[in-house]
Amino acid sequence: MPSRIVVLSGQNMGDWYEINDNPMVFGRDEDLLAEINDCFVSNRHMKIRINPQDQKFYIKDLDSRNGVILNGKRIKNLVAVKDGDLIQIGYTLMVYTCEELDRYRAVELFVARNRRRYIGLIDQLTQRRDHVLRQLNEGTNALNALTIHA
């Protein structure tokens, strides 16, 4: 079954990553296949890998500064993901999907459909990110609480 992570917001919006038997790391590091351009994402932020015993994909926070949020809850350990799960790293919102997305147009339609579905959450993330960036630019000691509940 094909598995993908599709980016719904941020500078990487519309990017998608096919997940297979090889573990994939998401982060800001330019050498990563899943490079996420978000200043609130760590260089090596999150890993997704398959468990050969149950054939499910699992995500893990790689001791990132701002954590990994799965469906509105910060994860601490290895957690299985299922179709439609929302993953947030920094202010970037992504969705794990098993939907067939081989053509560019299919990805574009998938992103548009899911952005409409989660537009309230995306707007909250954008407003919170902009607020934190303003505080940082003004030299204010900003709390970096990134969790936005859907």
Side-chain angles (χ1 to χ4, degrees):
M1 172 168 49
S3 296
R4 294 165 182 81
I5 291 183
V6 181
V7 181
L8 298 178
S9 70
Q11 291 184 22
N12 293 83
M13 183 178 71
D15 288 358
W16 59 284
Y17 305 94
E18 183 132 0
I19 311 301
N20 54 38
D21 293 345
N22 298 318
M24 183 176 282
V25 174
F26 288 73
R28 270 195 351 257
D29 190 325
E30 294 175 355
D31 293 331
L32 297 175
L33 291 175
E35 180 188 358
I36 303 296
N37 297 311
D38 179 333
C39 63
F40 294 96
V41 170
S42 297
N43 284 335
R44 296 176 54 82
H45 199 107
M46 174 190 89
K47 181 190 284 187
I48 186 165
R49 68 173 182 82
I50 195 166
N51 180 329
Q53 281 83 28
D54 63 11
Q55 293 298 301
K56 291 181 182 176
F57 285 96
Y58 287 78
I59 60 172
K60 179 179 181 5
D61 184 353
L62 297 177
D63 297 322
S64 65
R65 180 176 181 158
N66 294 316
V68 176
I69 313 299
L70 178 65
N71 297 324
K73 294 185 175 136
R74 190 172 185 152
I75 64 167
K76 304 266 188 228
N77 302 310
L78 208 58
V79 177
V81 290
K82 61 186 182 317
D83 191 38
D85 277 352
L86 290 176
I87 303 165
Q88 178 190 335
I89 59 174
Y91 286 100
T92 300
L93 187 65
M94 304 177 288
V95 63
Y96 173 82
T97 184
C98 299
E99 193 171 318
E100 193 65 45
L101 299 174
D102 287 336
R103 296 180 321 273
Y104 175 77
R105 185 74 178 138
V107 173
E108 188 177 272
L109 293 172
F110 178 87
V111 169
R113 183 175 69 241
N114 280 279
R115 278 187 59 81
R116 278 193 303 275
R117 182 174 176 194
Y118 298 113
I119 194 66
L121 177 59
I122 292 168
D123 286 347
Q124 286 181 50
L125 286 171
T126 302
Q127 289 170 11
R128 178 68 181 141
R129 180 202 62 215
D130 292 348
H131 175 74
V132 170
L133 287 173
R134 272 193 306 278
Q135 287 181 321
L136 291 172
N137 286 336
E138 294 167 1
T140 307
N141 185 8
L143 290 176
N144 202 2
L146 299 178
T147 305
I148 305 293
H149 299 283

